[in-house]
Amino acid sequence: MEYRELKEHRKHGDVGLPVSCYRIQPPYENFWQLECHWHDEMELFKVERGTVQIQCGNDYFEAREGNLVFFNSGELHAARPLDGAEMDYSAIVFSPEMLCGDENDIARIRYVAPVVDGRLQVRRVASSSSLLQMFDQAVELLQNREVSYELRVRARLLEIFASLAETGKNRVEEAEKASSKAVKAAIDYIRENYKKQISIEELAKLCHMSDGHFCRMFKKYTFKTPVQYMNSVRLSAAMDLLTRTDRKVLDIALDTGFNSLSYFIGVFKQGLGCTPTQFRRH
């Protein structure tokens, strides 16, 4: 079991068995590990404790202890605890290829490919004891890696996916796909260029939207305004530098895209409840 943050472009498992499991619980290694993100893999997300607000693409809802949530391949998603509660969850992240064979496989044609393409919407949330048991069994198999565990993990994932897909609905929402794609492009741009000053106008132009429409769409998908999201990315980078280096706080502030020390300290205190110096000390 890996206790590390989930990132968009990380490798989950290996070529032979493209699946990994994770357990995230206090104390967290990274304050921003549940920011809006996506990856090519599908994900099963189990709330172990508490209640969280979930975003899946264009949908928003609450998930509670014992709920199993499905995130599709390439789908923007995020989760955050409600009322400041601590977050405790398990996740299995796996390639859709785990569920099917080659291009002639009926499972790929009827179920997996339509889900990945967004033509088939499967159930978002499940809480049946049988599915939760299969999820826990898959986690245990991935942890212990006993003889034939690869087959058994695949079997558990297939059973869970089949249950979610059996009540699936066909849909094609091109406008939603376009908005999601535009927000993804903006997020990528922010993550690649956070060290420099980025304007709303610049991001809106990148997404071929007006400034106001872009801000509305961005907040709809990320829970944050563009400025709040940029600051969260910059804070994450600053926290890493404060932890790993002895560089001056001013140098770190400027190197992570904050245009003044006072603004950096203010954003840091608002986000983490302490100053950068206090964070480094403790």
Side-chain angles (χ1 to χ4, degrees):
M1 180 77 74
E2 296 184 57
Y3 293 83
R4 292 182 291 173
E5 62 174 332
L6 300 179
K7 298 182 179 179
E8 293 97 335
H9 304 297
R10 68 176 302 170
K11 184 178 179 181
H12 301 279
D14 53 43
V15 175
L17 191 70
V19 56
S20 291
C21 62
Y22 305 87
R23 178 67 184 272
I24 303 297
Q25 59 191 111
Y28 308 116
E29 290 184 10
N30 191 317
F31 185 80
W32 307 106
Q33 55 199 347
L34 297 176
E35 287 290 353
C36 184
H37 67 286
W38 74 95
H39 34 69
D40 292 332
E41 295 83 5
M42 294 175 171
E43 179 176 342
L44 293 169
F45 178 102
K46 179 188 174 187
V47 182
E48 299 285 358
R49 178 164 54 94
T51 303
V52 297
Q53 184 180 22
I54 298 286
Q55 175 221 335
C56 289
N58 204 34
D59 297 334
Y60 293 81
F61 53 88
E62 290 183 7
R64 296 174 173 80
E65 180 177 334
N67 284 166
L68 189 64
V69 183
F70 173 77
F71 298 135
N72 196 13
S73 167
E75 184 173 56
L76 284 165
H77 59 277
R80 63 178 178 182
L82 293 179
D83 303 322
E86 291 186 328
M87 185 70 176
D88 190 346
Y89 74 90
S90 299
I92 299 177
V93 184
F94 60 97
S95 169
E97 300 296 325
M98 288 282 293
L99 304 174
C100 57
D102 63 19
E103 64 275 8
N104 297 312
D105 184 359
I106 195 66
R108 179 188 291 270
I109 295 169
R110 286 192 177 178
Y111 306 104
V112 179
V115 169
V116 171
D117 294 342
R119 292 179 282 121
L120 178 64
Q121 174 66 64
V122 303
R123 190 161 29 134
R124 290 288 196 191
V125 183
S127 57
S128 72
S129 58
S130 60
L131 290 186
L132 293 172
Q133 184 178 32
M134 282 187 282
F135 177 91
D136 291 340
Q137 289 171 352
V139 169
E140 185 176 356
L141 287 164
L142 287 166
Q143 287 178 305
N144 297 334
R145 296 175 176 260
E146 296 178 353
V147 176
S148 75
Y149 83 96
E150 300 93 339
L151 293 172
R152 298 181 188 280
V153 168
R154 188 186 299 269
R156 300 304 187 278
L157 293 178
L158 279 168
E159 284 288 349
I160 294 172
F161 185 77
S163 179
L164 298 177
E166 64 185 4
T167 56
K169 298 178 181 180
N170 292 318
R171 70 171 193 172
V172 178
E173 298 182 18
E174 295 301 328
E176 179 183 330
K177 290 181 181 179
S179 296
S180 175
K181 185 177 180 180
V183 173
K184 286 181 181 180
I187 288 175
D188 273 347
Y189 187 82
I190 290 170
R191 289 184 174 276
E192 293 170 4
N193 299 278
Y194 68 88
K195 292 184 179 182
K196 70 175 189 178
Q197 296 305 303
I198 304 173
S199 67
I200 301 298
E201 294 79 7
E202 186 177 356
L203 292 172
K205 185 177 180 180
L206 174 71
C207 297
H208 306 289
M209 297 178 182
S210 67
D211 294 359
H213 183 58
F214 167 73
C215 289
R216 287 191 295 274
M217 288 298 100
F218 194 92
K219 188 168 185 178
K220 179 179 181 180
Y221 280 97
T222 67
F223 297 138
K224 298 177 182 293
T225 67
V227 172
Q228 288 172 333
Y229 190 87
M230 280 187 274
N231 283 342
S232 72
V233 172
R234 289 166 175 159
L235 278 178
S236 184
M239 290 164 63
D240 184 55
L241 291 174
L242 286 166
T243 303
R244 293 189 303 103
T245 75
D246 58 358
R247 296 178 59 190
K248 294 181 179 179
V249 172
L250 174 60
D251 292 339
I252 290 175
L254 298 177
D255 193 45
T256 53
F258 293 97
N259 55 18
S260 74
L261 180 60
S262 59
Y263 182 62
F264 173 55
I265 293 174
V267 172
F268 203 100
K269 287 182 68 176
Q270 184 178 25
L272 282 90
C274 63
T275 67
T277 301
Q278 290 169 335
F279 175 83
R280 170 177 271 170
R281 184 181 303 130
H282 296 294

